[in-house]
Amino acid sequence: MSLNSNLFHPSLKSKVALSYLLLFFLSSCFLFAAVILLVWGLFVKTNDSTMLQMGADIQKEYLIGRRFDRHGELIPAAECDPGYLNQLKAKSPGIEIIYIFRMNLRKSYYTVFACHNNAFYEMRIEPDGSLFSRKVPVESNIPRFRQYLNQKAAEAGTINLYFNLIAPDGKSLIATDLPPSLKNVPEKRFLTPLAGNETASFLDIQTEGAFFRVLNMKFPDGNRLVIGQNINTTRERFRVISTWFFTILLFFGLMGGIIGWFIARHFIRGIERVTRAVDMTCNGDYSQRVESLDEDAEIKHLMIRFNELNERTSTLMYELRTISDNVAHDLRTPLTRMMGTLEIALSNREQNDHRPPPFTALAQAPV
């Protein structure tokens, strides 16, 4: 019965310790989830940025080839003369500028590679203001581009990296060796629809023993590059970090429960002393006083009030005993007199009961 009572009505120390444990555990779980999501997001973001940079390098290799070195420095559009770009767009309406190269001679000299109607062009404005435009024969780069992709796949390992250049009609133009873990995956699963002006999208393909992050990148000429990268190493690294982080949080959660126990013990130490004094008082010992040590203000106030209550109760009990003694002393003399009178009355009655009646003596007299 006592065990069940303790189970359903735990002590204050247990409640405080469990509260601290629950608080630390919930806080740890929230922190664990937040950190894990943040770390995983950073992993994914870093990996996606690397794949996008790889796709950009492959696109440049595919469209321009090794000839881009002779055009100077590749620069972003923001560093190009806006007047030059406006003049170029005015002479060739509808073009989509892909690359801008700058060669610094006496003055900046720009060469632009642009796409128009799925064709790729090398363009520049000559010093006399005329437009130079030449269609770049991308098809001629295919043999060398195939060798370039095979080399990159071999450097990373054919089980870790996969390339596939797909025409707009879905026909594969160039494809490296498919990793063994992707042999049974339909080719359509690698393709994701691109919404609007979107040029790149990602998807995940998980198989037995492998997890691939796949990049779909649309080239300006309409072809699509598929890059599949095995991120098992990244996931394994993430799993190790998660395990260590969860272990640390579990340890701190347990420490929170232990710390809560000691804090609760410190808090209720004064209450336990007051409780013991109350138990002694209930048994009739009103001399109990609780000495205040280093308790908090609330516990100290409870001790002071308890001592005052016991002091008043002790005084009242002393006064009650004094009154009882006085009353008993005052009633003792009249009671004694009454008892003496009753004893005398009872004694006389007994004597009268043993005396013979007068008519008996008359009956025994001689005639």
Side-chain angles (χ1 to χ4, degrees):
M1 182 65 182
S2 177
L3 179 59
N4 292 334
S5 177
N6 290 332
L7 288 176
F8 289 102
H9 301 284
S11 64
L12 180 60
K13 284 191 293 186
S14 301
K15 289 182 179 180
V16 173
L18 290 176
S19 298
Y20 269 85
L21 179 61
L22 183 61
L23 176 62
F24 271 78
F25 180 75
L26 293 178
S27 302
S28 300
C29 288
F30 177 77
L31 181 62
F32 175 77
V35 171
I36 288 303
L37 290 176
L38 178 62
V39 172
W40 178 246
L42 290 176
F43 273 133
V44 172
K45 184 177 180 180
T46 302
N47 186 78
D48 290 353
S49 299
T50 303
M51 293 184 69
L52 285 173
Q53 184 60 47
M54 183 190 303
D57 293 339
I58 291 175
Q59 175 180 283
K60 184 172 62 175
E61 190 73 23
Y62 168 73
L63 294 176
I64 304 177
R66 300 296 180 181
R67 296 189 302 272
F68 66 85
D69 292 333
R70 67 183 183 180
H71 299 295
E73 177 190 6
L74 179 64
I75 62 173
E79 297 184 14
C80 185
D81 182 8
Y84 183 89
L85 295 180
N86 293 333
Q87 186 179 0
L88 186 65
K89 291 179 180 179
K91 290 179 178 296
S92 302
I95 64 170
E96 179 186 357
I97 297 177
I98 308 300
Y99 300 112
I100 302 175
F101 290 89
R102 178 175 60 191
M103 184 175 290
N104 293 319
L105 299 174
R106 292 182 180 179
K107 65 176 183 178
S108 296
Y109 184 76
Y110 299 100
T111 301
V112 174
F113 287 86
C115 184
H116 182 65
N117 294 331
N118 292 336
F120 199 60
Y121 296 90
E122 177 185 349
M123 309 174 71
R124 63 177 174 270
I125 297 178
E126 300 292 354
D128 59 359
S130 61
L131 176 65
F132 170 82
S133 179
R134 181 182 70 88
K135 184 178 180 180
V136 178
V138 178
E139 296 79 7
S140 63
N141 292 337
I142 295 297
R144 185 203 50 77
F145 185 65
R146 179 182 289 108
Q147 182 181 0
Y148 172 77
L149 292 184
N150 287 329
Q151 181 181 354
K152 288 188 72 67
E155 290 174 355
T158 54
I159 62 173
N160 296 321
L161 198 59
Y162 166 70
F163 298 103
N164 191 2
L165 182 65
I166 302 175
D169 59 359
K171 180 181 178 181
S172 178
L173 301 177
I174 302 174
T176 59
D177 294 336
L178 194 67
S181 56
L182 298 178
K183 292 291 186 182
N184 298 326
V185 179
E187 189 172 344
K188 292 183 178 180
R189 281 195 60 188
F190 293 94
L191 302 178
T192 56
L194 300 176
N197 296 326
E198 188 179 21
T199 59
S201 63
F202 290 91
L203 63 94
D204 296 323
I205 297 180
Q206 186 173 7
T207 61
E208 294 183 3
F211 193 98
F212 276 80
R213 184 75 169 167
V214 179
L215 167 64
N216 278 250
M217 189 172 188
K218 185 179 179 181
F219 284 171
D221 61 353
N223 292 337
R224 180 183 294 196
L225 176 67
V226 175
I227 303 176
Q229 186 177 29
N230 190 347
I231 60 173
N232 270 0
T233 303
T234 301
R235 287 171 59 86
E236 181 64 22
R237 192 179 306 159
F238 175 76
R239 187 189 65 81
V240 172
I241 293 175
S242 302
T243 302
W244 275 103
F245 192 72
F246 180 75
T247 303
I248 293 173
L249 290 183
L250 190 63
F251 170 76
F252 278 104
L254 182 61
M255 290 300 297
I258 296 176
I259 293 173
W261 174 268
F262 282 105
I263 291 176
R265 183 180 178 184
H266 171 74
F267 283 163
I268 70 171
R269 183 175 54 185
I271 298 178
E272 289 179 341
R273 290 164 52 211
V274 173
T275 303
R276 287 194 295 268
V278 169
D279 291 338
M280 298 295 293
T281 302
C282 291
N283 293 329
D285 184 4
Y286 296 98
S287 64
Q288 294 294 318
R289 301 293 183 271
V290 182
E291 183 181 0
S292 177
L293 300 176
D294 58 344
E295 286 79 15
D296 297 320
E298 293 81 4
I299 305 299
K300 187 176 294 185
H301 181 71
L302 174 64
M303 293 178 177
I304 293 174
R305 302 304 293 176
F306 173 79
N307 290 338
E308 291 178 355
L309 177 64
N310 246 14
E311 183 70 28
R312 293 181 181 180
T313 304
S314 179
T315 302
L316 290 175
M317 294 301 295
Y318 173 77
E319 293 177 353
L320 181 62
R321 283 194 297 269
T322 302
I323 294 174
S324 299
D325 292 342
N326 292 336
V327 170
H329 181 269
D330 292 341
L331 294 177
R332 187 176 302 159
T333 300
L335 288 176
T336 302
R337 291 176 180 176
M338 292 175 63
M339 290 177 62
T341 302
L342 290 175
E343 289 177 356
I344 293 173
L346 291 174
S347 176
N348 292 334
R349 181 179 179 181
E350 290 178 355
Q351 292 178 3
N352 293 331
D353 289 341
H354 293 307
R355 183 179 301 171
F359 62 83
T360 306
L362 294 175
Q364 295 178 354
V367 179

